[in-house]
């Protein structure tokens, strides 16, 4: 996962903190479970994943003060805290205060906060979960809806972190910067803005309260 490589390249540290029940794709080092109920060490989730690939990952309880305490105590050894702000396995859980405190702790410990917004990006809010919750991560990943039907993946972040790509420390993949996907993303993202219909039963742009779906009751400006 590119965000993990970027975080390690930027910080010079190896350990990544993740959370239980999060999903970060089919990258071997993110397919992990805690080794026990009260153990934060990571174990491979599936057969065929060597234990060595998850040695530098810890798995913490999400939206839990014990996780915040663990991050405080390990701050000097962590490259990043990787978060799925709204977990696909727990879409009802929106831990705003937890995320804001996590942001404060990681900033004070000089640990990168990485948001995986493949699910929430451009759905929960035009600025993703980061804007919805008022929490600004250091690096963030987007995909799926951004491509408007074309396969795409995007990593964005602070300039000093992203310079690890531009400067050659972390090379891009062989499918990077494909023109069709970029064109689709630009046309989808910068399409004319919409004006949302007033409806007391909705929030945001006409989506049902608590919904993460795109607006369905809007008209062009």
């Amino acid at each position: 996962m590119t965000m993990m490589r970027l975080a390690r390249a930027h910080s010079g540290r190896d350990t990544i903190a993740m959370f239980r029940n999060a999903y970060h794709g089919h990258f071997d080092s993110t397919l992990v479970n805690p080794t026990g109920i009260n153990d934060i060490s990571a174990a491979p989730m599936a057969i065929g994943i060597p234990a060595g690939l998850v040695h530098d990952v810890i798995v913490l309880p999400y939206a839990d003060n014990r996780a915040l305490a663990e991050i405080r105590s390990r701050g000097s050894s962590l490259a990043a805290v990787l978060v799925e702000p709204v977990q696909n396995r727990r879409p009802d859980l929106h831990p705003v205060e937890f995320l804001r405190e996590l942001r404060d702790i990681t900033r004070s410990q000089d640990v990168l906060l990485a948001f995986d917004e493949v699910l929430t990006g451009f759905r929960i809010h035009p600025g993703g979960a980061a804007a919805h919750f008022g929490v600004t991560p250091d690096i963030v990943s987007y995909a799926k809806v951004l491509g408007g039907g074309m396969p795409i993946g995007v990593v964005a972040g602070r300039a000093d972190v992203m310079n690890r790509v531009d400067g050659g420390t972390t090379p891009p993949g062989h499918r990077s910067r494909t023109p069709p996907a970029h064109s689709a993303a630009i046309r989808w993202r910068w399409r004319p803005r919409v004006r949302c219909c007033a409806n007391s039963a909705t929030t945001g742009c006409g989506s049902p309260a608590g919904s993460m779906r795109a607006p369905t009751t809007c008209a062009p400006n």
Side-chain angles (χ1 to χ4, degrees):
M1 188 178 194
T2 301
M3 286 203 299
M4 295 173 72
R5 289 195 293 271
L6 277 172
R8 286 167 170 155
H10 178 77
S11 66
R13 306 167 186 169
D14 293 332
T15 304
I16 304 288
M18 296 171 49
F19 293 97
R20 296 179 186 178
N21 296 319
Y23 179 70
H24 301 291
H26 271 62
F27 182 60
D28 282 359
S29 294
T30 64
L31 292 172
V32 297
N33 281 323
T35 54
I37 295 177
N38 296 312
D39 196 335
I40 64 173
S41 300
M45 182 184 294
I47 59 174
I49 301 175
L53 287 181
V54 302
H55 175 73
D56 294 315
V57 175
I58 60 173
V59 187
L60 304 172
Y62 192 47
D64 191 309
N65 287 334
R66 292 173 297 174
L68 299 176
E70 191 69 37
I71 292 167
R72 282 193 188 96
S73 68
R74 290 175 174 259
S76 61
S77 67
L78 295 177
V81 179
L82 178 58
V83 188
E84 189 183 21
V86 179
Q87 296 182 330
N88 72 87
R89 295 181 176 93
R90 290 289 310 276
D92 59 314
L93 179 61
H94 295 190
V96 181
E97 294 307 318
F98 173 84
L99 290 170
R100 290 175 179 170
E101 188 167 356
L102 178 61
R103 172 68 283 186
D104 291 341
I105 294 169
T106 51
R107 183 180 289 116
S108 67
Q109 299 274 18
D110 196 26
V111 175
L112 295 182
L113 180 61
F115 271 15
D116 182 340
E117 294 231 39
V118 169
L119 174 67
T120 52
F122 311 108
R123 289 188 174 102
I124 194 171
H125 185 284
H132 180 71
F133 294 134
V135 178
T136 303
D138 299 298
I139 46 178
V140 58
S141 62
Y142 303 106
K144 302 186 186 301
V145 70
L146 178 62
M150 292 290 290
I152 194 170
V154 172
V155 175
R158 284 173 17 197
D160 58 328
V161 179
M162 298 307 296
N163 281 344
R164 299 294 178 175
V165 176
D166 294 337
T169 306
T170 301
H174 71 284
R175 293 185 184 275
S176 297
R177 308 185 180 111
T178 55
H182 278 204
S183 178
I186 291 169
R187 290 177 65 84
W188 182 90
R189 183 67 184 90
W190 301 113
R191 71 195 189 284
R193 292 180 178 272
V194 295
R195 181 182 69 253
C196 300
C197 306
N199 186 331
S200 60
T202 64
T203 59
C205 290
S207 298
S211 171
M212 292 169 56
R213 295 180 57 192
T216 56
T217 57
C218 299
N221 279 332

